[in-house]
Amino acid sequence: MEDFVHLHVHTQYSILDGQAPVDKLVDKAIANGMRGMAITDHGNMFGVKDLFDVCNKRNKDLKKEGKEPFKPIFGCEVYVAPRRKEDKDKNLDRRRYHLILLAKNANGYRNLIQLVSRAWVDGFYNKPRTDHYDLEKFHEDIICCSACIAGEVPRAILNDDIESARKSI
């Protein structure tokens, strides 16, 4: 598994979806020979500090052993509103799509923080939601993955709506 880096991991901070503590996930990944891992909890980045601290601690030990450091990747599985994140019509805005966002670097991390914070402050409707407008505004240095079957692109493809999938991309 040396060349495998998991880019979609839920931790104990993803209610009902993950239960593993960050330190156990990192230890397991290192034991399996992985070089890094991304945490992408649902709608939040609560585990980022844990991941940073655990990786720094483990990397000190790895350095003493002459091994390559373990790369923490900061991310989030955000919820995307079908319209604007501020819209809260019960008939139109209850649906939301999943989207995986990964910070490419420090600037990407800052943009990811902006997206997640704005989702909680301005877009909360049962869950924190972002929208295409904020994604366009804060996209720089963020890697975007189409997510799971609850993502906008996979749903369109499953509905044989390839044009909508292309438009969404």
Side-chain angles (χ1 to χ4, degrees):
M1 273 212 217
E2 196 170 300
D3 292 332
F4 181 78
V5 174
H6 207 312
L7 298 178
H8 186 163
V9 177
H10 293 303
T11 72
Q12 64 197 20
Y13 297 104
S14 282
I15 307 284
L16 301 177
D17 239 1
Q19 62 184 15
V22 174
D23 61 334
K24 303 277 191 227
L25 288 167
V26 170
D27 290 344
K28 179 70 172 164
I30 290 171
N32 284 342
M34 293 183 200
R35 298 182 300 170
M37 177 181 68
I39 61 168
T40 54
D41 287 311
H42 280 290
N44 74 73
M45 296 175 63
F46 302 147
V48 166
K49 172 99 169 65
D50 290 351
L51 182 63
F52 180 81
D53 291 345
V54 168
C55 288
N56 279 343
K57 186 176 180 186
R58 299 304 186 271
N59 284 339
K60 286 178 185 174
D61 296 334
L62 290 171
K63 186 177 181 180
K64 288 178 189 174
E65 298 169 15
K67 294 181 180 175
E68 187 178 320
F70 187 81
K71 171 88 172 154
I73 302 169
F74 306 129
C76 185
E77 184 168 10
V78 298
Y79 300 106
V80 182
R83 302 185 307 153
R84 296 294 302 251
K85 69 181 184 302
E86 295 85 4
D87 295 335
K88 296 176 180 161
D89 181 293
K90 67 178 180 177
N91 296 317
L92 299 173
D93 299 308
R94 292 174 78 191
R95 184 182 77 232
R96 59 197 160 270
Y97 299 106
H98 294 203
L99 187 66
I100 303 294
L101 302 176
L102 305 171
K104 183 177 177 181
N105 53 32
N107 187 54
Y109 177 71
R110 284 188 291 276
N111 282 327
L112 186 57
I113 289 171
Q114 284 290 329
L115 286 164
V116 173
S117 296
R118 292 167 64 96
W120 278 94
V121 173
D122 302 325
F124 195 89
Y125 184 55
N126 296 320
K127 294 188 179 197
R129 303 171 310 147
T130 191
D131 59 24
H132 287 270
Y133 302 98
D134 273 4
L135 289 167
E136 186 175 332
K137 185 175 182 178
F138 298 104
H139 75 278
E140 193 174 315
D141 295 321
I142 290 181
I143 298 166
C144 178
C145 306
S146 61
C148 59
I149 204 164
E152 192 171 357
V153 173
R155 278 198 192 166
I157 291 170
L158 286 173
N159 291 329
D160 290 324
D161 189 357
I162 303 305
E163 189 57 39
S164 288
R166 284 191 180 113
K167 184 181 173 190
S168 178
I169 292 169

